[in-house]
Amino acid sequence: MSLDRLPTPCPVIDLDVLERNLARMALRAQAAGVALRPHAKTHKTLQIARRQLAEGAVGLTVAKTGEAEVYAAAGFDDLFIAYPVVGLGKPERLLAVARRARLAVGVDSVEGARALGAPFAAAGMHLRVRIEIDCGQHRTGVLPEDAAALARQVAPLPGLELEGVFTHGGHAYGCTTDAAREERAREEATRVAQAADAIRAAGLPCPVVSLGSTPTAATAMAGVGITEVRPGNYVFHDATQVALGSCGLEDCALTVLATIVSVPAADRAVLDAGSKALAADVRRPTPDGHGIVVGTSSRLTSLSEEHGVVSVAAGDSFHVGQRVRVIPNHACVVSNLHDVLYAVRRGEVEEGWPVAARGRVE
Ligand SMILES: Cc1ncc(COP(=O)(O)O)c(C=O)c1O
């Protein structure tokens, strides 16, 4: 089927670009001698995850217990939940996942770790845990200097096996120069390696030293002592990655296909894609509209739920019924808004990929 026949708004994946992105990151990881464990949060599909494994990924990263359940049920047998899993019923659900797949989970507190271990101990099993390190993002995780103290408390808990440390250099999304982004990447690597060294110096095992984000991956994975990298967004990229300088426009694999439904003034055209199709995330590192209208100089200046308002630039013109493609500010959120991603090569729709782990936020 031709792309021209798809109903809008809908997310479209350019297969040539996707394949190039997958291969490039796989080669980088191979050259750096680190395991690639991509974060599946970006696409949430089984089809792209299979392609990542075919390119040499050792397993998948996910954020949520519900996402791990989807991938384990589909036969993915090596999963890491890069999130401090805490909450009612979660340890028991993890036990069920761990019966089907090799599972590791993030921890950053002794209370959280103890609760996770309890059902595993009762079942005579061990859950692999990785201590989360705060490398500067100041979200979750302990500081590198506190890692050994937490490791000493976590390692002896029943039902757990300390597997290593992990971090995410998410604060690189605020960098406005390549030099600053690379500096953050080096810090990410140094800090997580420092935590691993401290844990080993305390006489505890720390075989896995994992890091990664799309803007920092290339530099950070080359750091001394790093064993694993976990980029997610690199499969699609988006307007934020272009603004950060971590990719070019030609590397953006996901666009939202939309139709102009109104041209109420010469300087204004309106798309059928609003925040429910494009997500309302602001572009980083500097806010600038709601995405790139491909092949034009016009800016998508405001969104309401079902409307995307384009400020028409001099030299551009739009007509009712015209179809356009928009590179969103944040591709990971867009896939979570749609049931199906349409895989397209040179204008022809080859497949529709269900967003299998969509909405598994629990
Ligand atoms: C813990 C963790 N690891 C890895 C990633 C992947 O980062 P990116 O999407 O920048 O590639 C994320 C993304 O949010 C994350 O939160």
Side-chain angles (χ1 to χ4, degrees):
M1 178 175 70
S2 161
L3 177 65
D4 301 337
R5 296 181 61 82
L6 284 177
T8 65
C10 71
V12 167
I13 309 303
D14 185 316
L15 278 166
D16 290 334
V17 180
L18 172 74
E19 287 167 5
R20 209 168 59 224
N21 292 343
L22 292 174
R24 191 185 292 146
M25 190 60 82
L27 275 176
R28 276 189 185 146
Q30 207 185 358
V34 299
L36 174 62
R37 184 183 289 279
H39 206 311
K41 67 185 289 175
T42 303
H43 55 81
K44 296 181 167 65
T45 68
L46 305 181
Q47 289 81 358
I48 296 178
R50 289 193 189 109
R51 284 170 182 250
Q52 289 174 315
L53 295 189
E55 290 276 356
V58 294
L60 297 180
T61 303
V62 295
K64 292 303 186 115
T65 303
E67 294 172 352
E69 287 169 337
V70 169
Y71 281 105
F76 289 82
D77 61 3
D78 192 338
L79 303 171
F80 168 44
I81 308 181
Y83 196 89
V85 177
V86 172
L88 200 61
K90 299 276 170 62
E92 294 73 19
R93 287 168 59 191
L94 293 182
L95 179 62
V97 172
R99 292 189 192 281
R100 311 175 86 142
R102 182 189 194 283
L103 178 67
V105 177
V107 293
D108 78 351
S109 70
V110 68
E111 303 89 312
R114 187 178 291 114
L116 292 182
F120 282 81
M125 290 171 63
H126 284 91
L127 174 64
R128 293 173 188 83
V129 290
R130 301 179 179 186
I131 292 181
E132 181 166 9
I133 307 304
D134 178 0
C135 66
Q137 188 183 17
H138 305 325
R139 190 172 65 177
T140 43
V142 297
L143 294 172
E145 52 271 33
D146 298 327
L150 180 58
R152 272 194 217 98
Q153 291 179 283
V154 167
L157 290 174
L160 298 184
E161 176 189 321
L162 180 60
E163 187 184 59
V165 286
F166 79 103
T167 196
H168 167 61
H171 54 315
Y173 278 92
C175 292
T176 52
T177 64
D178 287 350
R181 187 160 52 86
E182 279 161 27
E183 184 51 33
R184 290 274 155 88
R186 281 190 288 274
E187 261 169 33
E188 182 181 359
T190 311
R191 291 190 177 160
V192 74
Q194 178 196 338
D197 288 344
I199 290 171
R200 292 188 198 110
L204 295 166
C206 192
V208 174
V209 185
S210 173
L211 51 63
S213 75
T214 294
T216 60
T219 302
M221 73 170 87
V224 175
I226 303 309
T227 69
E228 181 184 276
V229 66
R230 306 183 320 277
N233 184 275
Y234 77 100
V235 292
F236 296 154
H237 295 119
D238 51 29
T240 286
Q241 300 295 347
V242 174
L244 281 164
S246 56
C247 74
L249 267 184
E250 67 286 1
D251 301 314
C252 293
L254 182 148
T255 50
V256 174
L257 181 65
T259 302
I260 302 285
V261 291
S262 172
V263 186
D267 61 353
R268 181 161 28 104
V270 181
L271 300 175
D272 60 357
S275 61
K276 284 177 175 165
L278 288 165
D281 290 38
V282 291
R283 195 194 74 172
R284 289 185 285 170
T286 45
D288 182 20
H290 295 278
I292 298 165
V293 186
V294 176
T296 78
S297 310
S298 300
R299 295 178 62 245
L300 188 46
T301 42
S302 76
L303 295 184
S304 46
E305 285 172 65
E306 290 88 12
H307 302 74
V309 178
V310 177
S311 296
V312 180
D316 285 341
S317 72
F318 295 94
H319 60 266
V320 170
Q322 181 179 345
R323 287 152 75 91
V324 298
R325 286 166 78 168
V326 178
I327 299 172
N329 281 347
H330 189 183
C332 312
V333 195
V334 170
S335 40
N336 197 46
L337 295 173
H338 297 271
D339 290 333
V340 177
L341 307 182
Y342 293 95
V344 170
R345 203 185 301 273
R346 281 166 234 124
E348 284 298 307
V349 181
E350 292 196 357
E351 286 174 62
W353 295 333
V355 187
R358 175 184 179 193
R360 297 303 307 268
V361 292
E362 82 299 0

